[in-house]
Amino acid sequence: MKNRSTTTRSTRAMRRRGPAGIVALATLALFAGAAPATAAKQARQVAEAVAQRVAGEPIMAIVSIKSQQITFYDADGWIARAPVSTGTTGRETPAGVFAILEKNREHRSSMYDDAWMPHMQRITWNGIALHGGPLPGYAASHGCVRLPFGFAENVFDKTYIGMRVIVSPEDTVPTEISHPSLFVPKQEAIAAAPSRIGKLAAEAEEATRAADEAKKAASVAAKEATSLPATLRKLEQQKARADAELAFADKTLANAKTDQARAKAEELKQKATAKAADASTQLDAAKAAAQPKRDAVAATKEAAKATAARKTDAVKAATDAKLALEPVSVYISRSTQKLYVRRNTHKPAPDGGGEVFDTSIEVPVTIRNPDRPLGTHIFTAMAKTDAGLRWSVVTIENGDEARDALDRITIPQEVWDRIGPTALPRSSIVISDEPLSAETNYRTEFVAVLSNQPQGGFITRKPTAPAMVASDDGWDNGGNGFGFFYPRDPYVQPANPRRQRGQYQYYQSTQPMPRGFW
């Protein structure tokens, strides 16, 4: 990253300048941050700082539980950092992969006596969040990540729903990486995307109109055929009575003993025969008339099914086209042997809070040596380059090295073909041994918690409502957006209540934070 290389060059120059350079180096380290290996040898001094350059849009934030520090990064490196106070022993902040789900400038806790949590940025639905709060100098919260009040206010307007928040048990920084499995977008696909969106949206609209008309026709045909069974039953009963009368007339005629009785029976038989013939004619005519209506019901029903299927395909294609110009996030779990894709539709969730994420891609994935840990690695597309995208990786749990972990995974080509050509900066691929947390649902990007780290602040909270997943029949196409939701069993991640010993050292800020930073 740019500011890291600048720091390296400045460090070498200052070393050549002797004691004065050392003083300058200490000042520079305050703003540029030391590498983890260097920081481990020094006193851990956490202070608020802002990079001395023009900052871009933040891409991720990394919370270090070990150093009690949060650092925000844009495409070129760190842009702001501050001390934090994470969860105390027994209520530890869970380590893992999160994203901002909801923001509230003046939040009051529903769990802790209406406690004031200003500039709250939620990262789990069961209540873990970043927010302004008192920092006593060590881990002291009930699971949230407290930020300095002024810092929390300043970053609040810079972040956005879906921004990655990584909580690491150790100190870690993004490191540049390249690998054949990382997305390489195609400029021609990106350039063609707007016209493709328009074309597919028109096709989806037409398919929706045709499906609506076919459904209406099927409804009318079914309504017209509704009276058929009752009508036919009535005529069948009428014919049965006429046949019975004819049979009675035949019996009466056969038993007639006198000419007068025989004549009367003959007259009765003639009337019964005419009545039976008329009933039979009416029944046959009704059956003949009913058949076309029955055929119409079957035909319109099949037509409605066919047009509904075409609508689903057309709307899905239009949805994909729209979402192609959104950053895409991929999660690959060794635990479930599956690959999941999330893309933000930016549609507000109908039940309040957060935005709806497209969840229509979930496929099996092949992992070589699946019994061997992969670790947890977060690959992020930081910026465009002439060749495609510049990627970084953050590792928060060691297993394989990041590149080796990618090497072990075989991703279905059709998935890559579907999401890779238009991949944009802020796209990401997360590889982990962990399943998705039950906190992952249609209103979130990915939430995954490291099961071998303390989770006291997570497991002591009430579980969230059952996950609901948006249907994939559209994204505001023809009024058929994410309006239908159904419950889904989440991949519940086992909690580990293991307690962590020790406290964390903290030093007050040595410099005031600029009020208009970032």
Side-chain angles (χ1 to χ4, degrees):
M1 297 183 179
K2 291 181 181 178
N3 60 335
R4 196 184 308 156
S5 61
T6 302
T7 300
T8 302
R9 291 194 297 269
S10 300
T11 300
R12 290 172 181 167
M14 290 176 184
R15 283 174 177 168
R16 291 195 296 267
R17 295 173 188 167
I22 294 173
V23 173
L25 176 60
T27 304
L28 180 63
L30 174 65
F31 291 101
T38 305
K41 298 176 183 178
Q42 300 173 347
R44 192 179 301 130
Q45 183 169 354
V46 180
E48 296 181 39
V50 180
Q52 301 303 295
R53 61 179 177 83
V54 176
E57 183 180 57
I59 294 177
M60 72 178 80
I62 300 178
V63 176
S64 169
I65 294 177
K66 178 180 180 180
S67 296
Q68 292 290 280
Q69 174 177 272
I70 186 170
T71 306
F72 287 80
Y73 294 86
D74 68 2
D76 295 319
W78 77 272
I79 47 180
R81 63 167 51 103
V84 298
S85 185
T86 60
T88 188
T89 302
R91 294 182 179 271
E92 298 89 352
T93 302
V97 181
F98 306 90
I100 294 174
L101 311 178
E102 185 182 33
K103 299 172 66 172
N104 187 346
R105 196 177 297 275
E106 291 291 337
H107 182 68
R108 291 280 178 176
S109 174
S110 60
M111 188 178 297
Y112 297 114
D113 300 323
D114 201 37
W116 184 44
M117 297 179 176
H119 303 99
M120 183 276 293
Q121 303 191 63
R122 186 186 301 276
I123 61 174
T124 72
W125 289 114
N126 69 3
I128 304 294
L130 314 178
H131 63 80
L135 275 64
Y138 47 84
S141 80
H142 283 182
C144 286
V145 178
R146 296 180 192 167
L147 312 176
F149 286 107
F151 187 88
E153 179 181 1
N154 281 324
V155 300
F156 186 84
D157 291 328
K158 315 299 181 183
T159 60
Y160 47 87
I161 300 296
M163 193 193 88
R164 176 83 68 221
V165 176
I166 299 168
V167 180
S168 175
E170 302 293 330
D171 298 336
T172 186
V173 296
T175 304
E176 290 191 12
I177 189 172
S178 60
H179 192 277
S181 293
L182 299 174
F183 301 129
V184 179
K186 299 177 181 178
Q187 290 305 315
E188 59 272 20
I190 295 174
S195 60
R196 185 168 179 269
I197 290 171
K199 177 176 178 293
L200 292 175
E203 291 177 0
E205 185 177 350
E206 174 59 27
T208 299
R209 184 192 60 76
D212 290 345
E213 290 180 356
K215 184 178 180 181
K216 184 178 179 181
S219 177
V220 170
K223 186 176 181 180
E224 290 178 351
T226 300
S227 61
L228 288 177
T231 300
L232 291 175
R233 276 197 307 271
K234 183 178 180 180
L235 291 173
E236 286 170 349
Q237 291 169 357
Q238 182 176 312
K239 182 178 182 300
R241 286 193 299 269
D243 290 342
E245 289 177 9
L246 180 59
F248 177 77
D250 283 336
K251 186 177 181 180
T252 301
L253 181 61
N255 294 330
K257 302 300 184 181
T258 65
D259 292 341
Q260 183 180 3
R262 191 176 293 110
K264 189 174 181 180
E266 286 283 0
E267 182 181 359
L268 180 64
K269 181 178 179 179
Q270 289 177 3
K271 290 180 179 179
T273 300
K275 188 174 181 180
D278 184 57
S280 181
T281 300
Q282 288 186 51
L283 179 60
D284 290 342
K287 286 181 177 180
Q291 193 56 46
K293 292 183 178 180
R294 286 178 172 146
D295 293 342
V297 170
T300 54
K301 185 177 180 180
E302 287 301 315
K305 287 173 62 177
T307 55
R310 286 195 291 273
K311 170 193 166 183
T312 297
D313 291 342
V315 170
K316 184 176 181 181
T319 299
D320 267 358
K322 282 187 177 182
L323 292 173
L325 294 182
E326 288 292 323
V328 60
S329 295
V330 175
Y331 188 91
I332 299 170
S333 168
R334 184 175 68 90
S335 174
T336 63
Q337 302 280 297
K338 283 190 175 183
L339 177 150
Y340 311 85
V341 175
R342 288 284 191 277
R343 293 174 293 186
N344 195 349
T345 69
H346 299 294
K347 300 294 179 183
D351 51 353
E355 297 177 354
V356 172
F357 281 75
D358 174 70
T359 63
S360 58
I361 302 177
E362 180 178 313
V363 296
V365 68
T366 301
I367 300 175
R368 182 164 46 85
N369 298 325
D371 295 331
R372 198 174 83 215
L374 288 167
T376 297
H377 314 278
I378 303 96
F379 302 87
T380 306
M382 304 300 286
K384 292 180 180 179
T385 66
D386 293 338
L389 294 170
R390 173 165 54 82
W391 289 82
S392 75
V393 63
V394 175
T395 295
I396 61 172
E397 184 179 37
N398 291 322
D400 250 343
E401 293 297 322
R403 286 186 177 83
D404 294 335
L406 278 173
D407 285 340
R408 288 170 53 194
I409 296 169
T410 302
I411 297 166
Q413 188 60 45
E414 60 270 21
V415 173
W416 245 222
D417 292 342
R418 185 173 169 184
I419 62 179
T422 55
L424 299 173
R426 301 206 323 265
S427 294
S428 63
I429 301 171
V430 179
I431 295 175
S432 182
D433 299 309
E434 307 292 351
L436 287 174
S437 166
E439 291 292 310
T440 301
N441 58 37
Y442 72 93
R443 297 178 299 172
T444 73
E445 211 219 45
F446 297 117
V447 179
V449 180
L450 301 188
S451 57
N452 63 346
Q453 295 294 322
Q455 301 172 29
F458 194 82
I459 64 176
T460 56
R461 295 164 187 264
K462 293 180 181 179
T464 53
M468 303 289 287
V469 179
S471 67
D472 61 353
D473 71 335
W475 186 31
D476 204 26
N477 285 295
N480 293 282
F482 289 83
F484 303 95
F485 298 85
Y486 55 91
R488 170 182 176 185
D489 293 332
Y491 297 100
V492 180
Q493 180 160 295
N496 179 358
R498 178 173 63 86
R499 295 191 175 188
Q500 193 174 36
R501 296 179 179 178
Q503 298 293 345
Y504 307 100
Q505 194 171 9
Y506 164 80
Y507 295 89
Q508 293 291 338
S509 174
T510 56
Q511 296 186 12
M513 290 291 288
R515 288 299 299 169
F517 82 91
W518 202 333

